[in-house]
Amino acid sequence: MVERQGQAAPDAVLTRIGQVVMLHHAGDREEARHRLLDLWAEIGEHGDPLLRCTLAHYLADTQDDPADELAWDLRALTAAEEEIAGDGPASRDGSLAVRAFYPSLHVSLAADYAGLGERDAARTHLRRARGAAAALTDDRYAEGVWTAIRRLESRLDEGGGGSGGGTWGTPPRQRP
């Protein structure tokens, strides 16, 4: 595992990710995707797991193809699992942040699978989202996650279809 080389670099990259996310939310999806991909190339496939998790989670939102969105959300989950499995003080700090991300990661994956018509996989990730969300504090992030879980459960119960996180009401991606 690649060790973090101080907090300045990860914090600077997280700030840059946040700036690109604001660009995306302002409506420039294509430019946001290109900038996020540049950041992905910069940190690399084996870079800091917290950064990869955060970046892949946001990159998923910029995808046009539901299968590509799923692929990026799966990368985010893989990076989160690497972060949790890491050791050392920096990794422990990062794993706390990643644990707060788990509910949103699983809601996003549930929405991805639902959008692709894979209802069983969607329900599996909704159960995981619900379990992870139980540990969240009572704040706006948790409220958004719980709202997204309920919406997606309702749509799955109704037999509805759809594609991507926006259709299913996933919460805005945010750094916990």
Side-chain angles (χ1 to χ4, degrees):
M1 173 164 163
V2 177
E3 291 294 325
R4 289 188 176 92
Q5 298 179 1
Q7 259 332 98
D11 285 349
V13 174
L14 288 171
T15 298
R16 290 168 59 201
I17 292 169
Q19 291 168 341
V20 177
V21 169
M22 287 190 297
L23 178 70
H24 178 228
H25 289 167
D28 199 342
R29 183 178 185 159
E30 188 72 25
E31 180 64 22
R33 179 176 36 240
H34 289 298
R35 289 186 188 190
L36 290 171
L37 286 169
D38 288 345
L39 281 169
W40 183 264
E42 185 180 315
I43 65 171
E45 223 18 76
H46 302 290
D48 183 302
L50 175 60
L51 296 178
R52 286 186 292 120
C53 175
T54 305
L55 189 52
H57 194 46
Y58 288 114
L59 255 164
D61 284 343
T62 67
Q63 302 306 304
D64 295 324
D65 183 314
D68 291 338
E69 185 173 357
L70 173 62
W72 280 109
D73 277 328
L74 288 170
R75 283 183 186 105
L77 182 62
T78 297
E81 289 168 347
E82 288 176 27
E83 180 68 26
I84 298 295
D87 57 4
S91 185
R92 282 191 292 277
D93 291 343
S95 69
L96 291 174
V98 167
R99 285 185 199 282
F101 242 156
Y102 264 113
S104 183
L105 289 171
H106 284 294
V107 169
S108 294
L109 284 162
D112 296 343
Y113 282 118
L116 291 167
E118 298 183 36
R119 297 168 58 82
D120 290 339
R123 289 186 188 284
T124 296
H125 282 283
L126 269 179
R127 279 192 300 277
R128 291 177 183 163
R130 186 174 280 285
L136 294 176
T137 58
D138 189 20
D139 59 13
R140 288 184 58 201
Y141 172 71
E143 182 181 317
V145 168
W146 283 110
T147 298
I149 289 170
R150 287 189 296 273
R151 281 185 190 154
L152 185 50
E153 285 175 334
S154 176
R155 300 245 178 149
L156 285 172
D157 289 345
E158 293 170 4
S163 63
T167 302
W168 292 94
T170 55
R173 314 263 175 148
Q174 53 187 302
R175 188 172 151 213

